[in-house]
């Protein structure tokens, strides 16, 4: 009798769930056995042989099954689980690709309309020019066309008032203009440099070309429902770190089910050289006929006869042109979102050198448009993946910490009087500005943390701040040096003083995945590769002193936010913000942030090498870049400028104000001097005219080392390390530097440290050539790797080489790196003496 489809499916499922082979026969499990095995699988998906035998003893129903059969069942079960997850992942990718394809088709249609419009306008202007050249006597047609063109370029807004009907008229007009920018051709959009669309990209990002003010547009996919997306985006201070506050002053419902809101918004100034910006806005939320949710905004001006807002001290009134969010539900869940940000930031109000900062659409895109998309993606990821870090904190809690650091730094940098800040007189020089805050609310967090028996005596906070212009120094490279070489600019006594303000006690640092840079230990809390932001805990070893014993050294713990270290990102500012934290490390721990912000003033992409700090340590020792700096990989094509802003906060007793202010001034001035010295060493302006033709490691020692590495490898392995290297030492070094596998050299000492790495090696270790010397060999291996290396080390020294099995090592940031295999060999010098040991990690990748 023919088996029905349903019965066939049942039989196939039973065979798949139970089948394993023993001596050529399939073993069929009873439903009770399958249930028992499934229960055990969820407890331990990969049991050892001892554990499997224990399972058979503990579960009588499995007593008649051989351990080998149990092993095969678990293998099959893991395989099915892996296939299920892979199928789910592929379905998710397919949905994402389908939605992205729809988005790209819409974008293609919009671009075709834009091309048609440009062709039409080009033909019209060409005809118009020819008519002028003919200079005919009949000008009636010309005047009609001219007046029509003038009317099209400068539309006249009908008069408005503050009544609900008048506000609705402004809102509907704002909606129309916003949609013409989001999906139409009202603005000529060009793709933002460095942003490539794709299923794994943050979205399609474009910037304006030739329009009034600065504008940016983005569209992308997010795994959240439209109403949730709108809620998040309306809470602008939660994701836009330059936003100080958004106050909703009035809410009016509309007849079509939407809402009109009157808003007052303030933005922090990014530097001490410019005032903040504020906006008087109308925000309109409505649902379109196709179910799309729209949130659009624009500034209210006197020309519209709408409600007005008087000027506010310390702020320049800026204008938001029609902007907003178009949120459409996506098939299968999630949303397709279009974002438009269009502003006139009044660049006339800042010094001329800073105006590019307020005239850059790229900067607006990075700080606002992309930040909105990034926040949505992160929240969607939190919902889908409920992960907890090894510090017991969820990603949202870590983002809140980084947000508090950034906001506290902005508050101190701007020093608004309504927060209690007051300006202090200078000492005859105006290079460093001092502001003081005695507001009890500012100090409340600090006082509450003193619960370990030592009373608080600090009743005020002082901030010393300054700004300086930098020439020809890539912000990412300078910031990375400041992060990894704190001892070059920081004063341990000041760090100890700042830590004492929050009574930092002993702190047990969790985890072994740390990066160490001479005297400071860096532990990653959170890392967002997407935009190069790191949240870290820094332990400064032996900097402070114990309150019980002033002679007893004590570690100082800092919470540190580092962003903008990706040199390939365009238009991003680089920040290094830190604050001493209490040993409890609570989410609401008091923070007094200090740090650096470096903002590029040129919109062009920096053509710099990621490892230009190669010979910086030696250059700093002699006080000048000298000839050593000529070993850099490349030189930027043109001069690059950036502005660095420095702000440091100090808690103090009120009667010590003048003394602490004097110390703070001198400290900031010393930091400025150190930064100038570092910037001089990093600046390509000190390189020779032929520097761009030199190799990345242009010293004779580097060429010699590359030759020794290749000769020793051929001597021990019998094959060439480099397949196509030329005869010259420069070509050998260049080929070694660009080798696809990670090649790293370490010294032959009791505690081996790294001395050289090629580009792939630096990428694997997530470090630079300068910081490489601070990493020891044992730091990058886990326990298994260290045992394996110790067993093979005698063979390396006696036989000259050894092959290491696949394993896991750690980058300087603590990220696990897997490698297929590793080869280690002894590098011999000209006298056949051991110079160092070289490792080559094959097919490595981040886990």
């Amino acid at each position: 009798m023919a088996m029905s489809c349903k019965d066939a499916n049942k039989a196939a499922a039973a065979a798949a769930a139970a089948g394993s082979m023993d001596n050529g026969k399939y073993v069929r499990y009873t439903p009770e056995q399958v249930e028992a095995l499934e229960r055990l699988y969820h407890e331990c998906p990969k049991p050892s042989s001892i554990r499997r035998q224990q399972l058979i003893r503990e579960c009588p129903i499995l007593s008649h099954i051989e351990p080998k059969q149990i092993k095969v069942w678990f293998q099959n079960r893991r395989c099915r689980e892996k296939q299920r997850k892979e199928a789910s992942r592929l379905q998710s990718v397919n949905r994402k690709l389908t939605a992205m394809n729809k988005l790209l088709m819409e974008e293609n249609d919009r671009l075709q309309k834009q091309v048609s419009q440009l062709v039409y306008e080009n033909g019209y202007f060409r005809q118009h020019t020819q008519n002028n050249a003919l200079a005919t006597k009949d000008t009636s047609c010309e005047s009609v066309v001219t007046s029509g063109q003038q009317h099209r370029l400068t539309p006249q807004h009908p008069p408005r008032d503050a009544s609900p009907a008048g506000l609705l008229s402004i809102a509907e007009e704002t909606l129309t203009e916003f949609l013409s920018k989001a999906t139409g051709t009202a603005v000529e959009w060009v793709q933002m440099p460095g942003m490539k669309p794709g299923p794994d990209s943050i979205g399609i990002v474009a910037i304006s070309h030739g329009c009034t003010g600065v504008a940016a547009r983005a569209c992308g996919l997010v795994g959240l429902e439209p109403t949730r997306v709108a809620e998040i985006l309306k809470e602008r201070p939660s994701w836009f770190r330059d936003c100080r506050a958004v106050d909703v002053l009035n809410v009016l419902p509309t007849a079509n089910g939407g809402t009109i809101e009157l808003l007052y918004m303030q933005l922090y100034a990014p530097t001490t050289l410019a005032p903040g910006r504020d906006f008087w806005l109308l925000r309109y939320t409505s649902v379109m006929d196709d179910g799309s949710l729209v949130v659009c905004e624009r500034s209210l001006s006197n020309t519209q006869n709408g409600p007005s807002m008087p000027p506010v001290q310390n702020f320049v009134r800026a204008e938001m042109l029609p902007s907003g969010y178009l949120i459409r539900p996506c098939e299968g869940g999630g949303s397709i979102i279009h974002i438009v940000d269009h502003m006139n930031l009044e660049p006339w109000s800042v010094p001329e050198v800073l105006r590019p900062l307020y005239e850059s659409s790229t900067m607006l895109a990075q700080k606002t448009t992309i930040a909105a998309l990034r926040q949505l993606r992160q929240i969607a990821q939190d919902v889908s993946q409920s992960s907890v870090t090894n510090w017991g904190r969820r990603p949202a809690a870590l983002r809140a910490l980084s947000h508090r650091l950034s906001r506290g730094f902005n508050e101190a940098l701007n020093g608004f009087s309504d927060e209690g800040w007051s300006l202090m007189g200078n000492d005859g020089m105006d290079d460093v500005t001092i502001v003081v805050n005695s507001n009890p609310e500012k100090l409340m967090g600090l006082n509450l943390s003193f619960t370990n028996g030592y009373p608080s005596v600090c009743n005020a906070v002082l901030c010393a701040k300054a700004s300086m212009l930098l020439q020809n120094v890539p912000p990412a490279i300078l910031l990375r040096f400041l992060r990894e070489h704190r001892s070059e600019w920081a004063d341990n006594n000041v760090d100890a003083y700042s830590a004492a303000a929050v009574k930092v006690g002993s702190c047990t640092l969790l985890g072994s995945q740390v990066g160490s840079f001479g005297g400071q230990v860096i532990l990653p809390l959170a890392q967002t590769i997407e935009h190069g932001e790191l949240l870290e805990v820094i332990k400064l070893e032996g900097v402070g002193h114990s309150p019980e014993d002033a002679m007893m050294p004590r570690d100082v713990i800092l919470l540190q936010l580092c962003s903008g270290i990706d040199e390939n990102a365009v238009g991003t500012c680089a920040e290094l913000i830190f604050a001493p934290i209490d040993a409890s490390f609570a989410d609401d721990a008091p923070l007094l942030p200090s740090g650096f912000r470096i903002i590029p003033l040129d919109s062009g992409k920096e053509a710099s090498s990621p490892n230009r700090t190669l010979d910086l340590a030696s250059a700093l020792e002699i006080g000048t870049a000298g000839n050593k700096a000529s070993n850099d990989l490349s030189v930027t094509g043109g001069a690059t400028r950036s502005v660095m802003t420095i702000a440091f906060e100090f808690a103090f007793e009120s009667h010590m104000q003048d003394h602490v202010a004097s110390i703070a001034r001198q400290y900031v001035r010393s930091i400025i001097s150190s930064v100038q010295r570092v910037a001089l060493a990093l600046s390509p302006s000190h390189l020779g005219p032929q520097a761009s033709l030199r190799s990345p490691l242009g010293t004779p020692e580097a060429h010699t080392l590359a030759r020794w590495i290749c000769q020793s490898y051929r001597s021990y392995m019998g094959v060439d390390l480099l397949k196509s290297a030329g005869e010259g030492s420069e070509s050998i070094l260049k080929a070694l530097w660009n080798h696809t596998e990670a090649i790293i050299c370490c010294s032959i000492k009791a505690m081996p440290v790294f001395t050289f790495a090629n580009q792939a090696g630096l990428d694997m270790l997530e470090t630079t050539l300068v910081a490489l010397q601070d990493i020891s060999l044992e730091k990058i291996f886990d326990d298994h790797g260290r045992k394996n290396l110790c067993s093979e080390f005698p063979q390396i020294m006696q036989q000259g080489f050894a092959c290491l099995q696949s394993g896991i090592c750690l980058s300087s940031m603590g990220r696990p790196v897997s490698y297929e295999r590793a080869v280690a060999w002894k590098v011999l010098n000209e006298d056949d003496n051991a110079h160092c040991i070289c490792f080559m990690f094959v097919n490595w990748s981040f886990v």
Side-chain angles (χ1 to χ4, degrees):
M1 184 172 59
M3 183 181 291
S4 68
C5 229
K6 186 174 182 183
D7 292 337
N9 289 338
K10 284 184 178 180
S20 67
M21 185 177 291
D22 184 27
N23 297 327
K25 295 182 179 180
Y26 286 99
V27 176
R28 190 174 299 276
Y29 299 97
T30 65
E32 292 78 11
Q33 290 173 333
V34 172
E35 182 181 355
L37 288 170
E38 286 286 350
R39 186 170 59 254
L40 297 173
Y41 174 82
H42 289 295
E43 295 176 1
C44 181
K46 194 174 183 180
S48 63
S49 60
I50 298 176
R51 176 61 175 152
R52 289 195 299 270
Q53 293 173 1
Q54 182 182 357
L55 292 177
I56 294 174
R57 289 194 302 268
E58 292 177 353
C59 192
I61 199 171
L62 301 177
S63 59
H64 300 295
I65 302 177
E66 295 292 331
K68 181 180 179 182
Q69 295 170 352
I70 298 290
K71 177 181 180 182
V72 172
W73 187 93
F74 273 94
Q75 289 175 343
N76 293 340
R77 183 63 178 82
R78 290 194 299 271
C79 182
R80 290 197 303 275
E81 181 71 16
K82 184 177 180 181
Q83 290 174 344
R84 185 190 64 80
K85 290 182 178 178
E86 180 66 11
S88 176
R89 186 189 68 83
L90 291 175
Q91 288 176 356
S92 175
V93 171
N94 183 61
R95 286 195 300 268
K96 186 182 295 184
L97 288 172
T98 302
M100 180 63 73
N101 181 61
K102 180 181 178 181
L103 202 59
L104 290 173
M105 290 176 65
E106 293 176 353
E107 182 70 4
N108 185 55
D109 291 340
R110 189 194 65 81
L111 290 173
Q112 288 180 352
K113 291 178 182 178
Q114 184 172 332
V115 168
S116 299
Q117 179 176 337
L118 291 174
V119 170
Y120 172 79
E121 291 180 353
N122 182 56
Y124 164 76
F125 284 116
R126 181 177 297 176
Q127 181 67 32
H128 187 62
T129 304
Q130 290 175 354
N131 291 341
N132 284 340
L134 293 175
T136 58
K137 294 182 180 180
D138 185 8
T139 60
S140 59
C141 189
E142 178 184 351
S143 62
V144 170
V145 173
T146 303
S147 62
Q149 182 69 10
Q150 288 176 347
H151 176 73
R152 190 176 71 85
L153 294 177
T154 57
Q156 299 297 317
H157 296 285
R160 302 284 187 263
D161 55 40
S163 67
L167 292 176
L168 180 60
S169 177
I170 298 175
E172 293 290 351
E173 186 178 85
T174 302
L175 174 62
T176 302
E177 293 187 33
F178 159 67
L179 292 176
S180 68
K181 298 175 185 179
T183 61
T185 58
V187 173
E188 181 181 351
W189 301 108
V190 296
Q191 182 174 313
M192 181 173 165
M195 300 297 295
K196 296 182 180 180
D200 295 323
S201 68
I202 195 169
I204 303 171
V205 184
I207 55 177
S208 62
H209 176 68
C211 74
T212 302
V214 291
R217 172 183 176 272
C219 48
L221 311 173
V222 292
L224 299 169
E225 295 304 313
T227 52
R228 178 61 178 145
V229 172
E231 291 174 2
I232 294 169
L233 294 176
K234 284 184 177 182
E235 292 293 329
R236 191 177 266 116
S238 68
W239 54 266
F240 183 22
R241 292 184 177 176
D242 283 357
C243 183
R244 185 191 182 206
V246 175
D247 295 327
V248 180
L249 303 183
N250 197 4
V251 180
L252 300 173
T254 61
N256 59 3
T259 57
I260 295 175
E261 299 167 281
L262 300 183
L263 312 176
Y264 176 65
M265 180 173 71
Q266 292 180 343
L267 302 184
Y268 290 112
T271 172
T272 60
L273 303 176
R277 296 295 188 266
D278 66 350
F279 298 83
W280 172 231
L281 302 171
L282 178 145
R283 181 165 70 194
Y284 181 38
T285 305
S286 64
V287 179
M288 301 181 67
D289 294 338
D290 62 355
S292 299
L293 184 61
V294 180
V295 180
C296 55
E297 299 172 324
R298 80 173 310 154
S299 286
L300 291 171
S301 61
N302 294 330
T303 59
Q304 298 165 329
N305 296 325
S308 60
M309 167 70 71
V312 178
Q313 186 180 7
N314 300 323
F315 288 92
V316 171
R317 181 64 48 84
E319 179 185 9
M320 179 180 291
L321 290 85
S323 307
Y325 317 106
L326 171 61
I327 312 163
R328 295 183 296 172
C330 185
E331 296 180 9
S335 305
I336 298 176
I337 180 171
H338 295 256
I339 301 176
V340 173
D341 290 302
H342 193 177
M343 299 181 184
N344 180 0
L345 296 173
E346 306 295 344
W348 58 266
S349 64
V350 300
E352 186 173 355
V353 70
L354 288 183
R355 288 181 186 174
L357 176 61
Y358 292 83
E359 296 171 342
S360 170
S361 293
T362 301
M363 185 70 71
L364 176 70
Q366 287 284 6
K367 297 176 70 174
T368 309
T369 316
I370 296 177
L373 272 181
R374 184 175 295 128
Q375 176 78 355
L376 293 172
R377 284 175 59 120
Q378 289 174 339
I379 292 178
Q381 187 175 4
D382 293 348
V383 173
S384 61
Q385 302 175 3
S386 182
S387 59
V388 178
T389 69
N390 62 335
W391 288 75
R393 283 171 169 79
R394 297 188 179 276
L398 296 176
R399 283 200 304 274
L401 277 175
S402 64
H403 190 80
R404 287 183 59 206
L405 276 174
S406 181
R407 186 175 183 86
F409 183 77
N410 278 324
E411 287 180 357
L413 189 65
N414 285 261
F416 293 121
S417 57
D418 60 357
E419 290 179 348
W421 293 98
S422 59
L423 184 65
M424 190 175 173
N426 59 41
D427 59 351
M429 300 174 63
D430 58 359
D431 57 334
V432 178
T433 302
I434 302 288
V435 289
V436 178
N437 194 333
S438 302
N439 188 347
E441 293 184 2
K442 177 73 175 176
L443 301 166
M444 186 177 297
L446 293 177
N447 294 335
L448 289 177
S449 69
F450 300 158
T451 58
N452 54 1
Y454 299 97
S456 167
V457 292
C458 297
N459 52 16
V461 175
L462 177 148
C463 178
K465 52 189 179 179
S467 294
M468 58 188 292
L469 186 67
L470 301 174
Q471 296 276 0
N472 277 359
V473 184
I477 291 179
L478 177 56
L479 191 88
R480 193 159 58 228
F481 183 86
L482 294 174
R483 170 180 173 267
E484 297 176 1
H485 296 269
R486 187 181 181 89
S487 60
E488 292 290 344
W489 56 267
D491 188 326
N492 288 345
N493 293 325
V494 174
D495 286 330
Y497 175 86
S498 300
V502 292
K503 297 294 183 187
V504 176
S506 59
C507 183
T508 303
L509 299 177
L510 306 178
S512 59
Q513 300 179 5
V514 301
S516 177
F517 299 98
Q520 67 175 6
V521 178
I522 299 179
L523 297 95
L525 273 177
Q527 181 171 14
T528 307
I529 303 300
E530 196 171 74
H531 62 295
E533 182 173 284
L534 305 171
L535 183 63
E536 308 164 322
V537 171
I538 311 297
K539 181 175 75 169
L540 305 178
E541 298 174 327
V543 170
H545 297 282
S546 171
E548 296 90 348
D549 186 354
M551 299 301 293
M552 179 68 68
R554 184 185 57 170
D555 299 338
V556 168
I557 312 299
L558 303 177
L559 181 65
Q560 179 168 280
L561 174 66
C562 181
S563 62
I565 55 177
D566 180 7
E567 293 177 73
N568 296 319
V570 182
T572 57
C573 68
E575 293 181 330
L576 185 69
I577 304 172
F578 46 85
I581 57 173
D582 185 77
S584 63
F585 191 28
D587 290 338
D588 58 349
L591 298 177
L592 283 181
S594 303
F596 308 88
R597 174 179 291 155
I598 313 173
I599 309 173
L601 298 176
D602 302 284
S603 58
K605 189 174 182 179
E606 298 169 352
S608 58
S609 163
N611 296 290
R612 276 253 310 277
T613 57
L614 170 61
D615 290 308
L616 182 57
S618 56
L620 290 173
E621 289 175 2
I622 59 176
T624 177
N627 296 325
K628 291 273 188 179
S630 66
N631 303 324
D632 293 333
L633 177 61
S634 61
V635 182
T636 52
T640 59
R641 298 177 305 165
S642 56
V643 59
M644 170 182 269
T645 299
I646 305 170
F648 278 77
E649 289 191 86
F650 303 87
F652 66 97
E653 305 171 50
S654 56
H655 68 277
M656 298 279 290
Q657 177 171 311
D658 292 338
H659 177 66
V660 174
S662 176
I663 294 176
R665 281 195 186 94
Q666 295 304 317
Y667 185 48
V668 171
R669 285 169 182 160
S670 71
I671 291 175
I672 291 174
S673 177
S674 299
V675 169
Q676 288 173 337
R677 185 164 55 95
V678 171
L680 181 67
L682 285 173
S683 174
S685 61
H686 291 80
L687 306 183
Q690 303 298 322
S692 60
L693 304 178
R694 298 289 300 274
S695 62
L697 306 172
T699 60
E701 294 82 359
H703 292 296
T704 302
L705 177 60
R707 191 174 68 254
W708 289 350
I709 291 172
C710 296
Q711 288 176 351
S712 300
Y713 185 87
R714 179 177 177 80
S715 173
Y716 292 121
M717 304 297 177
V719 293
D720 290 324
L721 176 63
L722 308 173
K723 300 300 182 183
S724 58
E727 295 296 329
S729 59
E730 290 218 4
S731 60
I732 293 175
L733 180 57
K734 183 177 180 181
L736 187 69
W737 177 259
N738 295 318
H739 200 286
T740 56
E741 311 298 355
I743 299 175
I744 309 171
C745 293
C746 72
S747 59
I748 304 178
K749 297 179 179 178
M751 182 65 71
V753 295
F754 292 118
T755 57
F756 167 82
N758 67 348
Q759 182 63 68
L762 295 175
D763 292 342
M764 187 187 81
L765 294 178
E766 293 188 295
T767 187
T768 63
L769 280 166
V770 167
L772 185 69
Q773 59 190 332
D774 294 324
I775 305 174
S776 62
L777 179 62
E778 68 170 11
K779 288 279 188 183
I780 73 164
F781 287 104
D782 58 10
D783 293 338
H784 176 73
R786 280 193 288 269
K787 291 178 182 177
N788 191 18
L789 180 62
C790 289
S791 64
E792 298 290 347
F793 197 81
Q795 180 181 344
I796 299 174
M797 299 306 297
Q798 295 173 10
Q799 184 177 320
F801 73 96
C803 294
L804 306 179
Q805 299 175 357
S806 61
I808 300 290
C809 62
L810 304 174
S811 74
S812 62
M813 292 290 95
R815 284 212 290 166
V817 181
S818 67
Y819 55 91
E820 186 177 290
R821 61 187 176 89
V823 181
W825 68 96
K826 190 164 52 175
V827 177
L828 304 178
N829 59 19
E830 303 290 357
D831 299 326
D832 287 338
N833 295 323
H835 176 75
C836 63
I837 295 176
C838 190
F839 292 86
M840 180 169 67
F841 295 89
V842 180
N843 291 339
W844 65 272
S845 63
F846 289 107
V847 178

